[in-house]
Amino acid sequence: MTASASGAGDRQPGAQGDGFEPDPRRWRALWVTLVAGFMSLLDVTIVAVALPTVQRDLGASPAEVQWVVSGYALTFALALVTAGRLGDALDRRKIFLLALCGFVLFSAACGAAPDITLLVVARLAQGLAAGFMAPQNSALIQQMFRGAERGRAFGYFGATVGISSASGPIVGGAILALADGMQGWRWIFYVNVPIGVLAVLLGRRLLPRTRKSGRGHVDGWGVLLLGLGVLAFMYPLVQAESGGLSRLWWLFLVGAAVLAVFVRRQRRLLARGATPLLDPRLFTTVRGYAIGAGVGTLYFIGFSGVWLVFALFYQNGLDYSPLQSGLAVTPFAIGSAGAAVVSGRLVDRFGRLLTVWGLTGVIVGLGTAALLLRFAPLDHAPWFAAPALFVGGIGGGFVVSPNITMTLRDVPVRMAGAAGGALQTGQRLGAAVGTAALPGLFYMVLSHSDDFQVALFVALGVALATMSTSLALAAYDWLRDRRRRAAHGECPEEVANSPVHSRSL
C-alpha cells in the first residue's frame, strides 16, 4: 500500500481514486463526534475547580477527593489503544455509540453519588467510557474525509482538543456559580446527560459504519501487557500529591520492562503474519508518525500542567473565585479556538512548518505572560498578561490540529483507530506528567519563598523548557522534509499533493 500526503494511506477499497465517495452527511456526523469528544476531554479538568466543595459535602479526605480527578485520567489512558484497535476490527460507529451511552450513564451516576467511594467508582467507569470513545473520533475523521477536507476536519478536532483543555476551569467555575449552594458540584456531571443523549440519537442517524476488513482478531495478551505498562507509568503520577512519586518510583522501571515485552510480542505477531494490537510499523515506516507522537507528548507535558498552575496562582495567590480564575485565562482559549480552525485549512500547504510557528507562538506568549505576572503589580497583572495569553493561544491553535493531521495523515484507514489511540495515549501520559510535576514544583518553590509570583514564574519556566524540546523536534522534522524535497528537486506545492515513498504496510 502506498500512502499519500493527502490520502493518508487510503489506497484501499473505499479510498479516494479507488471508489471512495464522500458521505453527504459527513460534516453533520463530524459535529456529533466533536461534541462527544469535547465532553470527554472537558471532564479531565472541569472537576478540578469543584474539589473543595466535593470534599466538604461528602466529608472526604484530600487523598480520596484527588481520585475524582486522577482516577478519570487513569482509566481514560488505559483504554485508548485497545479501544482504537476494537474500532478498527469491529465497527467504530458501534464502539463510539456504546461508549457514549456509558459516558452518559456514568456521568449521571457521578452526579447522584451519595458518598466519595461511589463517586470515585463512577469516575473510573466514566473515564473508561471516555477512553473507548476518544480514538473513534480521529478514526472516523480519517474514514469520512480525504485530502484538504481531512485537514479542515482535523482543524475542528484540534480546536475541540484545545478549547476543552483550556476551558475546563471556566466552564466548571460558571456551573458552580449558577448552581450555588450545597451539592451544586453535582451539576458538573449532570450537564453531560442531556447533551450526551442528544449526541447518541444524532449519532445513530449520521455516523457511518466501518467496513469489515477481515482482521477481527484482537491480541488479548497484548491488551494485558499494554494495560499493565501504562498503569505502571500512570499510577505514580496520579498519586503524586500523596507522595506517589517518592514511594512508587520503581513502577516506572516495571512499566518500561512490561512495555518492552509488549513491543517484542507485537513484532513477533507481525513476523508470523498475525494482526498485532499496535502495529510497530506505525513508528518505523509511516512518515511523521513517531515524531508527531513525540511532539504531542512533550507539548502536553507543559500545556496541561500550566492551567493548574494558573488556577493555583489566581485562586490561592490573588483570592480569585473559580470563575474569575477561569476567566483570567480565557484569552488563551479564544485565540486557540480561532487559530485551530484556520490551521486546518493551511496544513496541506505548510505542513510541519505550522507546528513550528505554533510552538514558537506558545513559547513567546506564555513566556511574556510569565514575565508580566512575575514583575507587574499583582492588582493589574492579569490584565497585563491577557494579550500575551491571547498570542500564546493563537500559537496553541497552530500546534494541536496540524500535529494531529501530520501525524495521522499517512496512516492506513484500517489502522486509524489504533494509531489515534496510541497518539492520544502519549498525550494523556504527557498530561499526567505535567499535571503532577508543575503544581508540585509550584508548591515546592512556594514553601521556600512564600512568593506566588516567583512560584508561578519557575513553574511556567519549566513548562516552556519542555515545549522548547517539542519545538526542537518539530523543527528537525520540518528541516528534514526540506532537505528531502531539495534532494528530489520538489517545490512545496508539488509535495503537498505528491505520493509519499514509504514502505508498504
Side-chain angles (χ1 to χ4, degrees):
M1 183 187 305
T2 300
S4 69
S6 60
D10 300 325
R11 303 300 185 193
Q12 58 184 358
Q16 194 172 27
D18 197 9
F20 172 75
E21 292 185 7
D23 189 330
R25 303 172 300 176
R26 62 193 181 281
W27 288 106
R28 286 177 290 168
L30 173 67
W31 286 109
V32 173
T33 67
L34 294 185
V35 168
F38 182 85
M39 287 193 303
S40 66
L41 290 171
L42 187 72
D43 268 47
V44 176
T45 56
I46 190 175
V47 181
V49 297
L51 291 186
T53 55
V54 172
Q55 183 177 351
R56 180 197 65 209
D57 289 350
L58 298 183
S61 68
E64 289 174 328
V65 81
Q66 183 58 34
W67 268 97
V68 176
V69 175
S70 58
Y72 181 90
L74 177 64
T75 52
F76 192 129
L78 285 174
L80 286 166
V81 175
T82 300
R85 175 69 188 107
L86 285 172
D88 292 339
L90 303 175
D91 187 332
R92 297 179 188 117
R93 175 183 180 272
K94 182 180 296 184
I95 298 294
F96 177 86
L97 291 174
L98 287 174
L100 180 55
C101 289
F103 185 82
V104 172
L105 177 64
F106 296 127
S107 293
C110 288
D115 55 54
I116 190 63
T117 300
L118 291 179
L119 176 58
V120 170
V121 170
R123 280 288 280 177
L124 290 170
Q126 188 192 31
L128 193 66
F132 268 84
M133 187 164 52
Q136 316 312 327
N137 281 330
S138 58
L140 284 166
I141 289 174
Q142 288 178 272
Q143 179 179 330
M144 294 188 293
F145 298 96
R146 299 291 186 271
E149 279 197 343
R150 180 178 286 176
R152 289 174 55 197
F154 272 126
Y156 291 122
F157 180 67
T160 301
V161 174
I163 297 171
S164 61
S165 300
S167 63
I170 306 169
V171 178
I175 292 174
L176 287 177
L178 292 172
D180 190 25
M182 291 289 290
Q183 312 295 322
W185 57 269
R186 297 183 184 275
W187 287 100
I188 285 178
F189 302 108
Y190 285 144
V191 74
N192 290 332
V193 176
I195 299 172
V197 169
L198 181 60
V200 169
L201 295 176
L202 292 175
R204 284 175 55 85
R205 293 183 54 191
L206 299 174
L207 293 176
R209 296 183 183 276
T210 303
R211 297 182 181 182
K212 301 296 188 299
S213 62
R215 297 170 180 256
H217 172 73
V218 176
D219 174 23
W221 282 107
V223 171
L224 179 61
L225 289 170
L226 181 62
L228 289 175
V230 173
L231 178 63
F233 271 101
M234 288 284 292
Y235 190 72
L237 295 171
V238 301
Q239 289 286 284
E241 290 196 18
S242 59
L245 291 176
S246 59
R247 289 185 293 106
L248 303 170
W249 61 267
W250 52 272
L251 280 177
F252 292 125
L253 302 178
V254 173
V258 172
L259 291 179
V261 175
F262 168 77
V263 171
R264 184 179 179 184
R265 175 176 174 80
Q266 302 308 290
R267 288 175 175 168
R268 289 174 58 190
L269 287 174
L270 195 62
R272 298 205 309 258
T275 303
L277 179 67
L278 182 61
D279 197 320
R281 292 174 298 179
L282 282 170
F283 298 91
T284 58
T285 66
V286 176
R287 190 184 73 169
Y289 186 84
I291 284 183
V295 168
T297 300
L298 288 168
Y299 177 70
F300 270 82
I301 290 175
F303 175 75
S304 301
V306 158
W307 309 115
L308 286 176
V309 170
F310 273 125
L312 292 171
F313 173 75
Y314 284 123
Q315 293 184 42
N316 295 344
L318 302 186
D319 293 325
Y320 278 21
S321 69
L323 178 58
Q324 290 173 318
S325 173
L327 291 174
V329 296
T330 299
F332 190 100
I334 294 173
S336 179
V341 174
V342 173
S343 69
R345 301 173 184 269
L346 299 176
V347 69
D348 274 351
R349 181 178 177 186
F350 295 103
R352 180 61 71 190
L353 182 59
L354 276 185
T355 314
V356 174
W357 288 346
L359 285 164
T360 302
V362 174
I363 291 168
V364 170
L366 289 180
T368 303
L371 288 170
L372 291 169
L373 291 170
R374 169 66 181 88
F375 296 106
L378 277 178
D379 291 343
H380 304 291
W383 293 101
F384 291 155
L389 287 175
F390 181 72
V391 171
I394 293 175
F398 284 106
V399 174
V400 178
S401 59
N403 187 60
I404 291 173
T405 303
M406 295 295 294
T407 304
L408 298 178
R409 66 178 184 173
D410 295 322
V411 173
V413 172
R414 63 181 174 81
M415 300 164 63
L423 178 62
Q424 292 191 57
T425 299
Q427 293 175 355
R428 291 302 100 210
L429 285 171
V433 172
T435 53
L438 293 184
L441 181 61
F442 180 89
Y443 280 123
M444 184 179 71
V445 174
L446 199 62
S447 67
H448 288 88
S449 68
D450 200 28
D451 189 325
F452 281 92
Q453 288 177 294
V454 172
L456 176 70
F457 185 75
V458 172
L460 290 183
V462 172
L464 292 171
T466 305
M467 292 182 187
S468 297
T469 307
S470 182
L471 172 60
L473 193 58
Y476 165 77
D477 190 41
W478 173 61
L479 290 172
R480 186 179 63 171
D481 234 17
R482 279 175 59 92
R483 287 194 295 269
R484 183 186 63 82
R485 292 199 301 264
H488 289 84
E490 298 172 320
C491 66
E493 290 78 11
E494 292 171 338
V495 172
N497 299 297
S498 67
V500 176
H501 301 291
S502 61
R503 282 174 282 173
S504 173
L505 285 180

